[in-house]
Amino acid sequence: MKLFINGRFLSQKLTGVQRYAAELVKAIDALLASDQSPAALRGAEWQLLVPSETSEAINLTRIKVRRIGRLSGHAWDQIELARAAAGGRLISLANAGPVIHRDHIVVIHDAQVFRRPDFFNWRYLAVHRTMGRLLARRATIATVSAFSRNELAAMLGLSKTDIPIFPNSAEHFASTTPDPGILDRLGLHRGKYFLFVGSRTKNKNLAVAIEAARLLERKDVPLVIVGGDNSKVFQDNLGGGESGLLLAGRLADGEIAALYAHALAFVFPSLYEGFGVPPLEAMIFGCPVIASTADAVMETCGEAAAYFCANDARSLQQLMLERLAVGAISDQERRKQQDRLALYSWQDSARALLDFLASRA
């Protein structure tokens, strides 16, 4: 038996989807190396197929990494990957893959292109809606949460029972060593700031967090915003230190870990998620979480977060005021966080994927 993994994620910018793919591949490899794969998959040949242009490295023991082709992007997926994976089972973990490969499992992380077209430009929508519909006809669709399974089933005309779930995890952050020097570099005091970590995409809904920070009127307790280019978001919103905002830009994982560890709370105002990993990352470091009532976020966080309506900045402001009054995380809150974290592990998701593959062998 030949099992191929779509490795195009290694040639892409690292976001949550690419991190998911990398961590799941490493967890599968670890299970294979420790002879914990199902009996039906014993002796299978595993290959991670990557584009020739790939610069990111991944250290694997049992899965062979093979560079193929000269193309890039979707053309590589649809032509060169399809050709190289012919005659074997293909696993695509990052939303896309060749539509002509019939023995194919594709993890689609959410249904945003169908539910929230206002988040995307027309070209992206055209490509990903078409690909999603074609893959739904020819491949097995998997996803990362019960919410996403329901959404994809409704949008793609599939039965929910035919969509397996291989959840996300935040364990990759547990091995990160915090770099507390970032607090001095940013002029922050422990327990005296709120934290946002994320991209500038529309679904992250950063504008509501900004408005809540302004309503809070606590310049001594800023909202620290970690992420990429802020120019478009803040071009009309910055007033220096008077804004109650601190733009940290892109930071290393160790710096982000330290900010999680010492924040008064992590703010997650997302409008739409397929899973919602950052709140779990915050919980690893004992950071209280204030999150929106987006369905997937509530599914992920359970009772371990305080919730507000994503469009209600005043509700978020009120929760921030309550956190200011309460102060540091309580023992009861920490236990709830640990209970949630225990539900998600890369090894469990990798084992679920291997068991699914074995059931279809």
Side-chain angles (χ1 to χ4, degrees):
M1 181 188 301
K2 291 184 178 181
L3 292 163
F4 300 103
I5 301 174
N6 181 347
R8 185 159 76 92
F9 65 88
L10 286 173
S11 67
Q12 298 170 323
K13 179 182 176 182
L14 180 63
T15 65
V17 169
Q18 287 72 35
R19 173 108 56 183
Y20 170 92
E23 295 297 332
L24 199 51
V25 168
K26 288 188 284 188
I28 292 170
D29 187 68
L31 290 175
L32 297 176
S34 59
D35 292 325
Q36 294 186 52
S37 62
L41 300 181
R42 299 279 168 83
E45 177 187 343
W46 287 81
Q47 291 186 25
L48 177 67
L49 304 177
V50 302
S52 296
E53 65 175 14
T54 300
S55 58
E56 292 294 323
I58 185 168
N59 296 319
L60 303 173
T61 301
R62 290 285 298 274
I63 300 174
K64 179 182 177 181
V65 180
R66 182 158 69 95
R67 294 176 183 267
I68 60 167
R70 297 182 178 181
L71 300 175
S72 62
H74 291 297
W76 181 86
D77 257 355
Q78 302 304 324
I79 300 171
E80 293 176 330
L81 175 61
R83 184 184 302 126
R89 177 169 296 174
L90 178 62
I91 305 158
S92 295
L93 300 170
N95 287 325
V99 297
I100 64 171
H101 198 295
R102 289 190 174 276
D103 194 358
H104 190 188
I105 298 170
V106 186
V107 178
I108 299 180
H109 291 245
D110 58 61
Q112 282 193 72
V113 293
F114 300 103
R115 290 296 196 190
R116 295 302 304 260
D118 52 311
F119 289 167
F120 308 96
N121 65 52
W122 69 269
R123 284 190 179 87
Y124 187 94
L125 280 177
V127 169
H128 287 271
R129 281 181 163 184
T130 300
M131 184 177 299
R133 293 186 178 110
L134 289 172
L135 288 170
R137 295 176 185 173
R138 304 178 69 93
T140 297
I141 303 300
T143 193
V144 295
S145 67
F147 169 73
S148 284
R149 177 173 63 185
N150 293 340
E151 291 279 271
L152 291 167
M155 292 295 97
L156 297 175
L158 301 171
S159 169
K160 290 186 289 187
T161 58
D162 291 335
I163 303 176
I165 298 172
F166 310 125
N168 250 297
S169 176
E171 287 176 310
H172 52 275
F173 240 82
S175 60
T176 300
T177 302
D179 175 10
I182 187 62
L183 275 72
D184 291 335
R185 293 192 287 275
L186 294 177
L188 296 170
H189 299 286
R190 299 184 182 202
K192 295 288 285 183
Y193 62 91
F194 292 97
L195 179 65
F196 171 93
V197 178
S199 67
R200 305 285 82 82
T201 53
K202 291 182 180 180
N203 70 302
K204 298 304 181 184
N205 197 31
L206 179 54
V208 165
I210 292 171
E211 180 61 20
R214 293 200 159 177
L215 292 170
L216 193 64
E217 295 183 331
R218 289 291 301 268
K219 294 177 243 180
D220 59 323
V221 188
L223 173 66
V224 178
I225 298 168
V226 177
D229 179 19
N230 300 297
S231 59
K232 292 181 181 178
V233 177
F234 298 111
Q235 57 188 356
D236 298 319
N237 293 316
L238 288 180
E242 298 178 0
S243 66
L245 305 173
L246 194 160
L247 279 59
R250 294 185 184 277
L251 297 177
D253 283 354
E255 294 172 320
I256 297 172
L259 291 177
Y260 278 138
H262 299 296
L264 187 57
F266 174 65
V267 177
F268 195 64
S270 191
L271 291 165
Y272 190 105
E273 295 285 335
F275 184 88
V277 173
L280 293 184
E281 294 177 348
M283 291 180 197
I284 284 174
F285 298 98
C287 180
V289 173
I290 303 174
S292 75
T293 52
D295 289 354
V297 176
M298 295 183 70
E299 178 184 338
T300 298
C301 296
E303 296 181 353
Y307 294 104
F308 65 97
C309 176
N311 293 312
D312 190 347
R314 289 199 175 274
S315 177
L316 173 54
Q317 175 216 12
Q318 183 58 41
L319 290 177
M320 294 166 79
L321 283 170
E322 291 174 10
R323 192 74 245 176
L324 277 164
V326 170
I329 191 169
S330 68
D331 291 341
Q332 182 182 24
E333 288 175 309
R334 186 62 181 138
R335 283 193 294 272
K336 288 180 179 180
Q337 288 187 343
Q338 291 169 336
D339 288 344
R340 296 311 295 180
L341 290 168
L343 296 177
Y344 306 106
S345 82
W346 293 120
Q347 185 180 70
D348 287 347
S349 293
R351 185 174 286 112
L353 175 54
L354 291 178
D355 287 343
F356 182 79
L357 290 170
S359 72
R360 305 286 288 269

